[in-house]
Amino acid sequence: MDTSSFQRLPDSVQRLVTDGLDQEVENGLERLDAAKKRGSLSDEQLASLEGDIRHAAELRGRFA
């Protein structure tokens, strides 16, 4: 993925995006942990949540 256009954004916008992705990963991990402890999600739902977390983390890594 070409991130050159992202790098041209103002620092404050870049920070807003990366902080949001960091928060999304953190919130996802907390939801995943809580759901596993409660056993409230199906295996398919857990896999979907894990995929969302992985996607946000990968995207965040591209902007580093």
Side-chain angles (χ1 to χ4, degrees):
M1 180 174 145
D2 180 15
T3 60
S4 60
S5 58
F6 178 76
Q7 300 299 326
R8 289 191 301 266
L9 292 171
D11 287 342
S12 60
V13 174
Q14 290 181 39
R15 201 168 26 259
L16 181 67
V17 171
T18 56
D19 288 351
L21 287 168
D22 288 340
Q23 189 63 49
E24 182 67 25
V25 170
E26 185 178 322
N27 291 344
L29 290 171
E30 290 172 2
R31 288 191 310 265
L32 181 62
D33 185 50
K36 284 182 176 181
K37 287 179 182 176
R38 287 190 315 266
S40 59
L41 297 178
S42 69
D43 289 344
E44 185 176 288
Q45 290 170 315
L46 287 173
S48 177
L49 182 54
E50 289 169 340
D52 291 346
I53 295 166
R54 187 172 34 259
H55 180 71
E58 289 171 358
L59 187 57
R60 172 59 176 96
R62 291 180 190 148
F63 294 138

